[in-house]
Amino acid sequence: ILNVEQSPQSLHVQEGDSTNFTCSFPSSNFYALHWYRWETAKSPEALFVMTLNGDEKKKGRISATLNTKEGYSYLYIKGSQPEDSATYLCASITGAQKLVFGQGTRLTINP
Amino acid sequence: EPEVTQTPSHQVTQMGQEVILRCVPISNHLYFYWYRQILGQKVEFLVSFYNNEISEKSEIFDDQFSVERPDGSNFTLKIRSTKLEDSAMYFCASRDRDLATNEKLFFGSGTQLSVL
């Protein structure tokens, strides 16, 4: 059974501050890790697909790291803006070729 | 950018009724998926579909559920006799390649199903 966990479940951050949150996943049979941003009433949108241990990806002010040996990934947001408010989902793929999601981190940026 | 579209955005139905949730995947995509999220819970995999057949399904996807790609553009999820616990946000997703190629999934904006 693959269990993907995210923490914290919700987070309030002041505009301009930087923040990060965690996704943990079983390290055995790891294949890939996905990060998605899901804004209310919109489609979940892919941020990153990560596969290699030590991988670090960046998209604007958002970056992510991956540790496949210990089974965790961090998502970082630098200089938070109101438009960063969303639920951030991570999902892991095992050899079963399906995405298994964590419960998400709901981020609110306070102006 | 091309997008996955889902209709309707909201569906209210009575328990025991049949519902069909519709999705139009991105046109050159070959792999199709349904996921759902019950309020307060994780997004759950339901089924994947490729080459006109189910490639994988979860234990949630029992005989009450079926999927179809009737005309080469639509991808539908049918629930034959809805239960209260089927109330959830249902997401369709598609890809042009197998998950093994490490490409992202493209999601629709979901259909909120409420079973009364």
Side-chain angles (χ1 to χ4, degrees):
Chain A
I1 298 174
L2 175 61
N3 212 24
V4 179
E5 300 291 339
Q6 291 184 249
S7 63
Q9 288 196 16
S10 67
L11 193 54
H12 291 252
V13 174
Q14 207 61 34
E15 183 178 352
D17 287 352
S18 297
T19 188
N20 65 86
F21 30 92
T22 308
C23 172
S24 63
F25 53 88
S27 52
S28 59
N29 295 323
F30 173 82
Y31 203 93
L33 188 86
H34 291 217
W35 279 101
Y36 291 84
R37 175 170 60 202
W38 181 20
E39 295 178 65
T40 304
K42 294 188 178 179
S43 313
E45 175 196 357
L47 291 171
F48 306 113
V49 177
M50 307 177 79
T51 57
L52 300 174
N53 185 45
D55 214 1
E56 183 169 343
K57 296 213 172 181
K58 192 173 179 184
K59 185 176 181 178
R61 293 178 293 98
I62 303 176
S63 61
T65 60
L66 180 68
N67 183 322
T68 60
K69 293 183 179 177
E70 295 181 42
Y72 63 84
S73 175
Y74 293 132
L75 190 82
Y76 300 90
I77 303 178
K78 188 176 176 183
S80 305
Q81 299 297 309
E83 60 265 28
D84 296 329
S85 294
T87 297
Y88 290 82
L89 297 166
C90 73
S92 185
I93 303 173
T94 65
Q97 295 288 313
K98 66 184 184 188
L99 281 176
V100 175
F101 282 86
Q103 67 271 57
T105 292
R106 188 180 182 118
L107 176 66
T108 305
I109 307 301
N110 301 316
Chain B
E1 185 171 299
E3 56 183 30
V4 176
T5 57
Q6 288 186 245
T7 55
S9 56
H10 292 85
Q11 173 90 48
V12 180
T13 190
Q14 295 290 326
M15 191 170 58
Q17 294 295 304
E18 175 183 285
V19 293
I20 297 176
L21 309 183
R22 301 181 193 280
C23 170
V24 180
I26 295 170
S27 61
N28 64 333
H29 284 189
L30 302 173
Y31 297 82
F32 313 110
Y33 307 83
W34 283 100
Y35 285 80
R36 76 175 187 187
Q37 187 187 38
I38 295 170
L39 187 64
Q41 297 185 22
K42 295 182 180 182
V43 174
E44 303 171 292
F45 169 79
L46 293 177
V47 66
S48 58
F49 190 87
Y50 169 69
N51 201 25
N52 283 320
E53 61 183 24
I54 290 172
S55 46
E56 189 166 357
K57 60 183 181 180
S58 72
E59 54 276 8
I60 302 167
F61 195 89
D62 60 22
D63 292 345
Q64 293 301 310
F65 290 86
S66 62
V67 289
E68 199 176 35
R69 189 155 160 80
D71 56 13
S73 63
N74 291 285
F75 179 51
T76 62
L77 175 69
K78 182 193 288 187
I79 309 175
R80 287 189 184 81
S81 176
T82 49
K83 306 185 189 76
L84 295 176
E85 55 265 35
D86 294 328
S87 296
M89 178 73 87
Y90 287 79
F91 290 102
C92 172
S94 69
R95 289 171 52 118
D96 59 350
R97 304 172 201 179
D98 187 85
L99 272 175
T101 59
N102 301 322
E103 299 268 333
K104 60 187 180 182
L105 273 183
F106 290 82
F107 282 90
S109 55
T111 293
Q112 180 65 56
L113 177 65
S114 298
V115 181
L116 306 179

